[in-house]
Amino acid sequence: MQSRRNSFIGDRRSTAAKVASKRLGKRTVKPTVEELLSYGGKDFVENVEKYGYNDRQSRIRLTPWYRELLELVGNLNVHEVYVTGCAQAGKTAACTLLSIYLLAKGVSFLWAYAQLSSLMNAVPLQFRPMVDQWLRAAKVRAIGSQKLTLYQVAGANGIFTYVSTNKSLNMKEGGAAAGTASVSVTADVLFREERSQYSMGAGDPLSRRIDASLVPTKPTRDLGTPGSGGGIEAEIAKCKNYFYAHFQCAKCGEISPLDPKGCLLKPVTLIDTIGKEQSS
Protein backbone atom coordinates (compact mmCIF):
# COMPACT_ATOMS: atom_id res chain seq x y z
CA MET A 1 0.00 0.00 0.00
CA GLN A 2 1.38 3.38 -0.95
CA SER A 3 1.67 5.67 2.02
CA ARG A 4 0.97 9.40 1.87
CA ARG A 5 3.51 11.96 3.06
CA ASN A 6 1.41 13.35 5.89
CA SER A 7 0.93 12.50 9.56
CA PHE A 8 -1.87 10.17 10.59
CA ILE A 9 0.01 6.87 10.82
CA GLY A 10 3.70 6.26 10.48
CA ASP A 11 5.80 3.10 10.25
CA ARG A 12 9.49 3.49 11.01
CA ARG A 13 10.82 0.19 9.70
CA SER A 14 8.84 -1.83 7.14
CA THR A 15 11.28 -4.53 6.03
CA ALA A 16 9.37 -7.67 5.07
CA ALA A 17 10.06 -10.69 7.28
CA LYS A 18 11.55 -13.94 6.03
CA VAL A 19 8.95 -16.44 7.13
CA ALA A 20 10.21 -19.78 5.77
CA SER A 21 10.73 -22.13 8.73
CA LYS A 22 12.71 -19.56 10.68
CA ARG A 23 13.89 -20.41 14.19
CA LEU A 24 14.08 -17.81 16.95
CA GLY A 25 16.32 -19.35 19.59
CA LYS A 26 14.58 -22.57 20.58
CA ARG A 27 11.16 -21.41 19.37
CA THR A 28 9.86 -22.02 15.87
CA VAL A 29 7.46 -19.74 14.02
CA LYS A 30 4.05 -21.39 13.88
CA PRO A 31 2.41 -21.96 10.49
CA THR A 32 -0.38 -19.58 11.52
CA VAL A 33 2.18 -16.79 12.00
CA GLU A 34 3.70 -17.51 8.60
CA GLU A 35 0.24 -17.21 7.06
CA LEU A 36 -0.42 -13.91 8.85
CA LEU A 37 2.82 -12.48 7.49
CA SER A 38 2.16 -13.71 3.96
CA TYR A 39 -1.32 -12.17 3.92
CA GLY A 40 -0.10 -8.74 5.03
CA GLY A 41 -3.13 -6.97 6.50
CA LYS A 42 -5.69 -8.22 3.98
CA ASP A 43 -6.79 -11.27 6.00
CA PHE A 44 -7.31 -9.03 9.03
CA VAL A 45 -9.58 -6.70 7.05
CA GLU A 46 -11.57 -9.66 5.72
CA ASN A 47 -12.04 -10.98 9.26
CA VAL A 48 -13.17 -7.56 10.49
CA GLU A 49 -15.81 -7.56 7.75
CA LYS A 50 -17.05 -10.96 8.95
CA TYR A 51 -16.74 -10.71 12.72
CA GLY A 52 -15.99 -7.10 13.65
CA TYR A 53 -18.30 -5.25 16.05
CA ASN A 54 -17.78 -2.08 18.06
CA ASP A 55 -18.25 -1.80 21.83
CA ARG A 56 -21.95 -1.03 21.29
CA GLN A 57 -22.48 -4.33 19.51
CA SER A 58 -22.91 -2.67 16.09
CA ARG A 59 -21.12 -3.90 12.98
CA ILE A 60 -17.92 -2.08 12.02
CA ARG A 61 -18.48 0.21 9.03
CA LEU A 62 -15.49 0.02 6.70
CA THR A 63 -15.15 3.26 4.77
CA PRO A 64 -12.36 3.26 2.14
CA TRP A 65 -9.88 5.18 4.32
CA TYR A 66 -10.64 3.06 7.40
CA ARG A 67 -10.12 -0.10 5.39
CA GLU A 68 -6.65 1.18 4.41
CA LEU A 69 -5.94 2.06 8.04
CA LEU A 70 -6.85 -1.45 9.18
CA GLU A 71 -4.75 -3.05 6.45
CA LEU A 72 -1.64 -1.17 7.57
CA VAL A 73 -2.24 -1.65 11.29
CA GLY A 74 -2.84 -5.37 10.70
CA ASN A 75 0.23 -5.94 8.51
CA LEU A 76 2.64 -7.71 10.87
CA ASN A 77 5.48 -7.30 8.36
CA VAL A 78 5.60 -3.67 9.54
CA HIS A 79 7.58 -3.48 12.75
CA GLU A 80 6.35 -0.18 14.20
CA VAL A 81 3.08 1.66 13.51
CA TYR A 82 2.01 4.86 15.24
CA VAL A 83 -1.69 5.79 15.16
CA THR A 84 -2.92 9.22 16.17
CA GLY A 85 -5.87 11.51 15.52
CA CYS A 86 -8.67 13.37 17.23
CA ALA A 87 -10.98 11.61 19.68
CA GLN A 88 -13.50 9.12 18.22
CA ALA A 89 -11.50 8.69 15.01
CA GLY A 90 -11.40 4.91 15.41
CA LYS A 91 -7.71 4.48 16.31
CA THR A 92 -8.35 2.51 19.52
CA ALA A 93 -11.03 0.41 17.83
CA ALA A 94 -8.63 -0.47 15.00
CA CYS A 95 -5.97 -1.73 17.40
CA THR A 96 -8.53 -3.48 19.61
CA LEU A 97 -9.85 -5.37 16.58
CA LEU A 98 -6.29 -6.38 15.72
CA SER A 99 -5.69 -7.68 19.24
CA ILE A 100 -8.84 -9.79 19.02
CA TYR A 101 -7.88 -11.09 15.58
CA LEU A 102 -4.47 -12.10 16.93
CA LEU A 103 -5.99 -13.98 19.86
CA ALA A 104 -8.32 -15.89 17.55
CA LYS A 105 -5.26 -16.86 15.45
CA GLY A 106 -3.27 -18.05 18.48
CA VAL A 107 -0.94 -15.02 18.77
CA SER A 108 -0.36 -13.45 22.21
CA PHE A 109 -0.26 -9.71 22.83
CA LEU A 110 0.59 -7.25 25.61
CA TRP A 111 -1.51 -4.08 25.88
CA ALA A 112 -0.17 -1.29 28.10
CA TYR A 113 -2.15 1.70 29.37
CA ALA A 114 -0.75 4.82 31.00
CA GLN A 115 -2.76 4.41 34.21
CA LEU A 116 -4.50 1.64 36.14
CA SER A 117 -7.78 3.59 35.97
CA SER A 118 -7.63 3.52 32.16
CA LEU A 119 -7.14 -0.25 32.19
CA MET A 120 -10.05 -0.78 34.58
CA ASN A 121 -12.36 1.28 32.34
CA ALA A 122 -11.25 0.21 28.87
CA VAL A 123 -10.96 -3.56 29.26
CA PRO A 124 -14.51 -4.25 30.51
CA LEU A 125 -16.21 -1.46 28.55
CA GLN A 126 -14.42 -1.71 25.20
CA PHE A 127 -12.31 -4.83 24.78
CA ARG A 128 -14.68 -7.35 26.39
CA PRO A 129 -17.83 -6.46 24.38
CA MET A 130 -15.83 -6.50 21.13
CA VAL A 131 -13.98 -9.76 21.80
CA ASP A 132 -17.08 -11.54 23.06
CA GLN A 133 -19.06 -10.59 19.94
CA TRP A 134 -16.17 -11.48 17.59
CA LEU A 135 -15.69 -14.94 19.11
CA ARG A 136 -19.43 -15.56 19.10
CA ALA A 137 -19.69 -14.62 15.42
CA ALA A 138 -16.59 -16.67 14.53
CA LYS A 139 -17.79 -19.62 16.66
CA VAL A 140 -14.56 -19.67 18.66
CA ARG A 141 -14.58 -20.68 22.34
CA ALA A 142 -12.57 -18.65 24.85
CA ILE A 143 -10.98 -21.48 26.84
CA GLY A 144 -8.90 -20.38 29.83
CA SER A 145 -8.85 -17.28 32.03
CA GLN A 146 -11.01 -14.26 31.26
CA LYS A 147 -9.92 -11.81 33.94
CA LEU A 148 -9.38 -8.07 33.88
CA THR A 149 -5.67 -8.39 33.10
CA LEU A 150 -5.65 -11.73 31.24
CA TYR A 151 -7.86 -13.05 28.44
CA GLN A 152 -6.99 -16.44 26.94
CA VAL A 153 -8.16 -17.84 23.59
CA ALA A 154 -6.86 -20.81 21.58
CA GLY A 155 -3.72 -21.09 23.69
CA ALA A 156 -2.91 -17.39 23.26
CA ASN A 157 -2.77 -14.74 25.98
CA GLY A 158 -4.16 -11.22 25.89
CA ILE A 159 -2.28 -9.46 28.70
CA PHE A 160 -3.25 -5.99 29.97
CA THR A 161 -0.98 -3.84 32.13
CA TYR A 162 -0.23 -0.19 32.92
CA VAL A 163 3.02 1.76 33.10
CA SER A 164 2.56 4.35 35.86
CA THR A 165 5.33 3.96 38.45
CA ASN A 166 4.94 3.15 42.12
CA LYS A 167 5.42 6.40 44.07
CA SER A 168 4.93 4.82 47.53
CA LEU A 169 8.54 3.65 47.86
CA ASN A 170 10.82 5.48 50.26
CA MET A 171 13.29 7.05 47.85
CA LYS A 172 15.48 8.27 50.71
CA GLU A 173 16.23 4.64 51.61
CA GLY A 174 17.43 3.90 48.12
CA GLY A 175 14.18 2.43 46.79
CA ALA A 176 13.53 2.66 43.05
CA ALA A 177 10.19 3.41 41.45
CA ALA A 178 9.04 0.32 39.56
CA GLY A 179 6.35 0.36 36.92
CA THR A 180 4.11 -2.65 36.41
CA ALA A 181 5.52 -2.96 32.87
CA SER A 182 8.57 -4.61 34.43
CA VAL A 183 6.50 -7.66 35.41
CA SER A 184 7.93 -10.75 33.72
CA VAL A 185 5.57 -11.56 30.86
CA THR A 186 6.16 -12.69 27.28
CA ALA A 187 4.08 -11.69 24.26
CA ASP A 188 4.28 -11.66 20.46
CA VAL A 189 2.81 -8.21 19.71
CA LEU A 190 2.94 -5.04 21.82
CA PHE A 191 0.26 -2.33 22.01
CA ARG A 192 1.03 0.94 23.81
CA GLU A 193 -2.00 3.15 24.37
CA GLU A 194 -2.14 6.78 25.53
CA ARG A 195 1.50 7.28 24.57
CA SER A 196 1.23 11.04 25.13
CA GLN A 197 0.43 10.35 28.81
CA TYR A 198 3.40 8.09 29.57
CA SER A 199 5.77 9.59 32.11
CA MET A 200 9.44 9.79 31.13
CA GLY A 201 10.95 6.29 31.00
CA ALA A 202 7.88 4.55 32.41
CA GLY A 203 7.33 2.46 29.28
CA ASP A 204 10.97 1.57 28.62
CA PRO A 205 10.70 -2.08 29.80
CA LEU A 206 7.77 -2.82 27.52
CA SER A 207 9.73 -3.55 24.34
CA ARG A 208 11.68 -6.28 26.14
CA ARG A 209 8.43 -8.17 26.70
CA ILE A 210 8.41 -9.18 23.01
CA ASP A 211 12.08 -10.18 22.76
CA ALA A 212 10.98 -13.82 22.41
CA SER A 213 8.10 -13.04 20.05
CA LEU A 214 7.06 -15.79 17.64
CA VAL A 215 6.64 -13.07 15.02
CA PRO A 216 10.07 -12.26 13.53
CA THR A 217 9.30 -8.55 13.09
CA LYS A 218 8.34 -8.10 16.78
CA PRO A 219 5.42 -5.78 15.93
CA THR A 220 4.52 -2.79 18.09
CA ARG A 221 1.42 -0.64 17.69
CA ASP A 222 1.39 2.74 19.45
CA LEU A 223 -1.75 4.85 19.66
CA GLY A 224 -2.79 8.07 21.31
CA THR A 225 -4.29 11.53 20.94
CA PRO A 226 -1.73 14.24 20.07
CA GLY A 227 -0.25 16.07 23.05
CA SER A 228 1.68 19.32 23.24
CA GLY A 229 4.65 18.16 21.21
CA GLY A 230 6.36 15.56 23.38
CA GLY A 231 3.88 12.69 23.08
CA ILE A 232 3.16 10.27 20.26
CA GLU A 233 3.58 13.09 17.74
CA ALA A 234 7.28 13.22 18.64
CA GLU A 235 7.62 9.58 17.58
CA ILE A 236 5.62 10.16 14.40
CA ALA A 237 8.02 12.97 13.45
CA LYS A 238 10.78 10.33 13.24
CA CYS A 239 8.83 8.08 10.85
CA LYS A 240 9.68 7.80 7.17
CA ASN A 241 6.31 6.58 5.79
CA TYR A 242 2.98 8.25 6.48
CA PHE A 243 -0.69 7.46 5.98
CA TYR A 244 -3.16 10.32 6.20
CA ALA A 245 -6.94 9.92 6.18
CA HIS A 246 -8.71 11.73 3.31
CA PHE A 247 -12.31 12.64 2.55
CA GLN A 248 -14.11 13.34 -0.71
CA CYS A 249 -16.46 16.29 -1.06
CA ALA A 250 -19.90 15.06 -2.06
CA LYS A 251 -20.52 18.22 -4.10
CA CYS A 252 -17.35 18.84 -6.12
CA GLY A 253 -15.60 15.47 -5.75
CA GLU A 254 -12.33 16.99 -4.51
CA ILE A 255 -10.27 14.75 -2.19
CA SER A 256 -8.66 16.51 0.78
CA PRO A 257 -6.71 15.32 3.84
CA LEU A 258 -8.08 15.37 7.38
CA ASP A 259 -6.01 17.05 10.07
CA PRO A 260 -5.08 14.53 12.82
CA LYS A 261 -6.13 17.05 15.48
CA GLY A 262 -9.55 17.48 13.91
CA CYS A 263 -11.08 19.35 11.00
CA LEU A 264 -9.95 22.90 11.66
CA LEU A 265 -11.75 25.77 9.97
CA LYS A 266 -8.78 28.14 10.17
CA PRO A 267 -5.03 27.89 10.86
CA VAL A 268 -4.01 28.02 14.52
CA THR A 269 -0.64 28.30 16.26
CA LEU A 270 0.14 26.06 19.22
CA ILE A 271 2.95 26.38 21.78
CA ASP A 272 4.47 23.04 22.82
CA THR A 273 6.04 22.20 26.19
CA ILE A 274 9.42 23.65 25.26
CA GLY A 275 7.99 26.92 23.97
CA LYS A 276 8.23 26.13 20.24
CA GLU A 277 5.48 27.36 17.94
CA GLN A 278 3.68 24.79 15.78
CA SER A 279 1.14 25.73 13.09
CA SER A 280 -1.91 23.58 12.38
Side-chain angles (χ1 to χ4, degrees), residues 62-85:
L62 295 183
T63 57
W65 77 266
Y66 199 63
R67 183 185 297 272
E68 292 183 0
L69 166 61
L70 292 178
E71 186 173 341
L72 177 56
V73 169
N75 188 344
L76 301 185
N77 293 295
V78 182
H79 169 50
E80 292 179 330
V81 177
Y82 296 87
V83 189
T84 190

Side-chain angles (χ1 to χ4, degrees), residues 134-160:
W134 180 298
L135 298 181
R136 190 178 302 115
K139 299 181 180 180
V140 175
R141 293 183 61 189
I143 301 175
S145 177
Q146 282 83 49
K147 300 179 181 179
L148 181 66
T149 57
L150 177 63
Y151 196 99
Q152 295 178 310
V153 178
N157 299 317
I159 306 166
F160 299 92

